[in-house]
Amino acid sequence: GFCLNRFSMNVLLLLQTAALPVLNVVIVAFIGYLFSRKAFGGVLTEAVTRPLGKLTIRLFLPCLIFPKLAKNVSLTHMLQWWPLPVFSIIVAAFGALLGAILSRWVLPKSDRKFTKLVVSCCMQGNTGNMPLVLVPVTCSFPSSPFYAADCFDRAQTYVVAGMWIGSFTNWAVLWNFLEPTAEERQQEQTEMSGIDEQNLLTNSQKQQQQLTYNNSGLFDSEQPQTPNTATVLIPSCSATQLEEQCTEEQDQSLPDNQHTSENSLRMSDVATLTLDASTTTAGGGSTKAAVLRTIKKLCTQPPLIAIVLGLVVGAVPQLQHFLYATDYPVLQLINKIMNNFGSVFLPMIMLLLGATLGNGPPLTTHALSYRGLVWILVIRFVVLPACNFAAVWWLMQNNLVAKDDVLFTLVLLINATTPPAINVSTICMLHGRWVTEAGFVMFWAYMLYIPVATCWMCFYTYVLAGDPNPSLTGAV
């Protein structure tokens, strides 16, 4: 009886530890969903969430990142935390390999034209915001086996210390990888021309049929005249100017980059039509121009700038002491303001997540099959987490990762257990291709991530904290 009671208590504690972080996300996201409905005032509409999303990414997130790194990180810690960037690179490379194999030998032929999209979704996960939301909450409850006095700050520090790899991959790798070549752009234009001609022929047939009906006397009343084609107004700007305009309207991560399919499709139409005149720039530009564009992208990402500055301050003890160990009132005030702004990030990102997912999947027809979607989710939610766990477990057995700091190990595991990065959808929109297909993948990936994250959290908690009251001695 005692063993059964102890087993029941351990199972309940395990489920509670794994479910509470996900439940926290669900509750706050559901509140965001409610406030996006008209019955609750329709506060979080798209017109509101887009500027809020930009504010969250460009202000609240950098204010969260910089103090965590500048105050808590030193050069010694950077060397000790080498698995964070290394594992991020390995998981991304392995995901890209699996995506290439999937596109080449598993997916139907109709999906092979989306090879770059499939590879990108398998390659890059949301290694920033999702771990930042889940991991700190895991150790915030006193009943959690990960609980410690400073665990919340440590968890956030671990997560943001590895975020720079994701930002670099998004804008230095995925941007150039998803950019269409001149041949791909020409092929897409040919396909779009064929679709337009087919639609025009269909409209002409309908008008001829309508004229026949009218002449036959079936419709004697005067019918309103509808134009055969819609007049599209294209702004007179270059591809680079349009890219900058789109970048201003888009943000770096979940959820403000994920807009309704109608808006994304509208922006992609304008981008596609405008880029027709600059095919050479889009696909055949020089390597120097591509490098300059990549550097510009990286230098205009506030979270990445905050990461670099935070690591620089942490690596220089004199700067760290000046900012956080002196009694200058102005510096104390600035630090307090940054901490206040940073504390807004987590609830705001979850509210925006709920409001965004509340819009539902894309309403326009997508060409990517459900079979392709399922395989992408299998790779991201099953294969990559399992392989990453095996690698981390091997490191633990060979004492290459500190066994007493299970919170650091949990961050390593969660980083590989994430849905595809929202930036994949953003980059597709900026290039004017596969917008609907990317939105289709993102919606279902983030909807299904809730049960998937719960299951993996149960497993990770069981492995890392089998003892209901483990001793956590790791510290920053």
Side-chain angles (χ1 to χ4, degrees), residues 22 25 117 120-122 124-126 130 134 254 258 353 357 360-362 368 370 372-382 417-425 436-454 456:
V22 182
V25 176
L117 176 62
S120 300
C121 290
C122 296
Q124 186 61 30
N126 193 336
M130 298 314 296
L134 289 176
L254 181 69
Q258 187 177 1
L353 171 63
L357 295 181
L368 183 66
Y370 280 93
L373 170 67
V374 170
W375 277 109
I376 291 174
L377 298 184
V378 167
I379 289 177
R380 285 243 49 107
F381 291 158
V382 180
T417 315
T418 57
I422 290 295
N423 276 329
V424 174
S425 179
T436 306
E437 287 74 20
F440 169 66
V441 173
M442 296 303 157
F443 174 81
W444 289 112
Y446 281 85
M447 287 296 292
L448 295 176
Y449 184 64
I450 294 172
V452 169
T454 304
W456 278 111

Side-chain angles (χ1 to χ4, degrees), residues 127-147:
T127 56
N129 294 336
M130 298 314 296
L132 199 57
V133 169
L134 289 176
V135 178
V137 181
T138 303
C139 62
S140 299
F141 302 97
S143 59
S144 170
F146 298 105
Y147 179 76

Side-chain angles (χ1 to χ4, degrees), residues 258-290:
Q258 187 177 1
H259 307 308
T260 59
S261 59
E262 179 181 356
N263 178 72
S264 298
L265 184 61
R266 181 173 65 252
M267 290 300 300
S268 66
D269 291 341
V270 176
T272 302
L273 293 172
T274 307
L275 289 175
D276 288 348
S278 55
T279 304
T280 304
T281 303
S286 64
T287 305
K288 181 179 179 180

